[in-house]
Amino acid sequence: MERSSPLLLNLSDTRCAEWLAHDHTLLWLGVQGLEAPPGGFVTSEVFFCEVSSNCLRSQQWQHRLPQSWELPGGGSEGSWRSSGPPSPQRAGVLAAAPQQVQAKYPAIKALMRPDPHLKWTVLGMVLVQLLACWLVRGLAWRWLLFWAYAFGGCVNHSLTLAIHDISHNAAFGTARASHNRWFAIFANLPMGVPYAASFKKYHVDHHRYLGGDGLDVDVPTRLEGWLFCTPARKLLWLALQPFFYSLRPLCVNPKAVTRMEVLNALVQLAADATIFALGGVKPMVYLLASSLLGLGLHPISGHFVAEHYMFLKGHETYSYYGPLNWITFNVGYHMEHHDFPSIPGCNLPLVRKIAPEYYDHLPQHHSWVKVLWDFVFEDSLGPYARVKRVCKLAEDRL
């Protein structure tokens, strides 16, 4: 395979720092110094991974900013507007399409209401897992792990997506934010480790600074992109997803521990101690294995890769409309979710039904299993296949 030449990107066209696929070379353009005035110079560093050698090299050069550099969505002078996430799929328009959709279809605003069934669904799932803890006490270890993967993994992964919806106040509405936070801690109980409060803290940044370098901890680190670049290593990376999602925030964007995180940890420890005291070690192993296996190399975990990895150049967010949405609170409707994060998962299919001309033509995934297969075996995919951009830090009003 011949070596491909790195592609010199025109900042006036791309308007962001991003991974791009060019022939057999993958580029990550990390733009620095964007505070420079229009017409000034910015320094860029390009890391490119050659498929033939699976190695990472870098080059640096300078780009001159255009004399008039106006970013879509209202940003200018090289700063990204922080009030909304970028949507390159919409012909380069940033956060404009959601307003257009809502203006054209006022009925969409009526969908921005709590999900009346969410709290009862989550209650049932938590009770089912507690019942499973009682039933697995006498199982052989091999069967315990089997059911942890086949059943408990589905339930616990689904609970993480319920927590995702609850973090957007979908259970009780924005007027009762504290109710949502405590209910997320309740939904966290079968997972075995505290998660809900920390997820809420970082998920806000995922929406505010989608792909933001050092801000959006959903984006893999440079080390992950460099290390996990072969099929075997990418398979390992997928299996270890729970660890990367837990540890990456501490490395990329560490934040002070909040009061809710402490309370989340205390409640979780009390629940774990109670389960251990009543049922012994096997129920606890079942819950922890359900979380680790269900969030690792599992069919449902395909949504981690399907949502924001660049399967096609210029498209960083994708939806999936398949049957697994039935057990994942419609997380597959991801383009719709990023356009309207205040709409709960139960109503996201209605967004597409009301405004099909805004979504039906966009690239979409048809199978999360195929997404995982392609991710592992396609040379153009890996942890590096993500858009990264420099974002201006917004004032925190939460």
Side-chain angles (χ1 to χ4, degrees), residues 254-310:
K255 296 184 179 184
V257 177
T258 66
R259 175 175 174 270
M260 287 304 298
E261 286 179 292
V262 174
L263 294 173
N264 190 177
L266 292 175
V267 171
Q268 189 65 53
L269 287 173
D272 292 347
T274 302
I275 292 172
F276 179 78
L278 295 177
V281 68
K282 284 189 175 182
M284 279 310 305
V285 171
Y286 167 78
L287 292 180
L288 292 173
S290 296
S291 298
L292 295 177
L293 297 176
L295 294 169
L297 195 59
H298 194 281
I300 299 178
S301 295
H303 80 87
F304 287 133
V305 177
E307 291 166 359
H308 296 297
Y309 283 77
M310 288 188 67

Side-chain angles (χ1 to χ4, degrees), residues 156-158 160-161 164 191 195 199 206 218-220 237-243 245 248 291-311 316 318 328 331-332 334 365 368 371-372 375 382 385-386:
N156 276 14
H157 197 137
S158 185
T160 67
L161 298 172
H164 165 259
M191 298 184 63
Y195 157 83
F199 175 81
H206 174 63
D218 186 64
V219 178
W237 185 80
L238 291 173
L240 298 178
Q241 278 296 288
F243 298 100
Y245 270 93
R248 192 184 299 138
S291 298
L292 295 177
L293 297 176
L295 294 169
L297 195 59
H298 194 281
I300 299 178
S301 295
H303 80 87
F304 287 133
V305 177
E307 291 166 359
H308 296 297
Y309 283 77
M310 288 188 67
F311 284 76
E316 68 173 298
Y318 302 78
T328 57
V331 73
H334 215 67
H365 294 293
W368 281 342
V371 164
L372 294 175
F375 180 84
R386 288 288 297 265

Side-chain angles (χ1 to χ4, degrees), residues 34 49 66 71 74 93 128 164 222 227 243 257 259 309 383 397:
L34 283 181
C49 180
L71 298 183
V93 178
V128 163
H164 165 259
R222 187 184 304 173
L227 183 59
F243 298 100
V257 177
R259 175 175 174 270
Y309 283 77
R397 294 187 176 90

Side-chain angles (χ1 to χ4, degrees), residues 24-234:
H24 301 296
T25 303
L26 296 169
L27 306 180
W28 180 73
L29 178 62
V31 182
Q32 302 171 350
L34 283 181
E35 67 278 0
F41 284 97
V42 294
T43 301
S44 302
E45 187 173 15
V46 171
F47 292 85
F48 55 98
C49 180
E50 297 172 342
V51 175
S52 57
S53 59
N54 287 318
C55 63
L56 193 73
R57 306 179 187 277
S58 66
Q59 293 181 357
Q60 287 188 344
W61 53 75
Q62 287 188 324
H63 297 271
R64 182 184 293 275
L65 290 177
Q67 291 294 333
S68 177
W69 190 18
E70 184 176 353
L71 298 183
S76 62
E77 297 182 357
S79 63
W80 287 95
R81 194 175 79 162
S82 57
S83 59
S87 299
Q89 294 92 331
R90 305 190 185 284
V93 178
L94 296 183
Q99 285 78 11
Q100 293 173 358
V101 177
Q102 191 171 334
K104 185 176 180 180
Y105 300 104
I108 285 181
K109 189 172 182 180
L111 303 178
M112 300 176 185
R113 61 180 186 268
D115 179 356
H117 305 293
L118 180 59
K119 53 183 174 292
W120 305 115
T121 303
V122 170
L123 174 62
M125 294 169 70
V126 171
L127 293 178
V128 163
Q129 279 295 72
L130 293 179
L131 175 62
C133 287
W134 181 260
L135 296 176
V136 301
R137 291 175 306 132
L139 285 182
W141 285 107
R142 64 181 182 276
W143 287 109
L144 184 147
L145 294 177
F146 169 81
W147 287 112
Y149 182 86
F151 178 76
C154 296
V155 177
N156 276 14
H157 197 137
S158 185
L159 281 171
T160 67
L161 298 172
I163 291 171
H164 165 259
D165 250 22
I166 297 167
S167 74
H168 289 283
N169 299 315
F172 299 98
T174 55
R176 294 190 286 179
S178 61
H179 288 62
N180 288 285
R181 295 195 178 192
W182 279 107
F183 190 60
I185 291 175
F186 171 76
N188 192 159
L189 294 180
M191 298 184 63
V193 292
Y195 157 83
S198 297
F199 175 81
K200 166 73 174 179
K201 181 172 69 174
Y202 284 101
H203 189 64
V204 170
D205 287 343
H206 174 63
H207 280 270
R208 182 181 290 170
Y209 313 107
L210 179 61
D213 191 18
L215 296 171
D216 183 2
V217 298
D218 186 64
V219 178
T221 62
R222 187 184 304 173
L223 177 62
E224 291 172 72
W226 172 78
L227 183 59
F228 299 98
C229 57
T230 65
R233 294 180 187 180
K234 287 190 284 186

Side-chain angles (χ1 to χ4, degrees), residues 90 101 105 108 111 319-322 325 330 332-337 339-340 343-366:
R90 305 190 185 284
V101 177
Y105 300 104
I108 285 181
L111 303 178
S319 286
Y320 156 81
Y321 303 120
N325 280 301
N330 287 324
Y333 289 76
H334 215 67
M335 191 69 212
E336 294 83 349
H337 171 63
D339 281 347
F340 303 102
I343 295 180
C346 66
N347 288 335
L348 289 177
L350 294 177
V351 173
R352 184 188 179 210
K353 185 176 181 179
I354 291 172
E357 70 272 23
Y358 286 92
Y359 298 102
D360 287 350
H361 69 284
L362 297 176
Q364 57 187 256
H365 294 293
H366 301 284

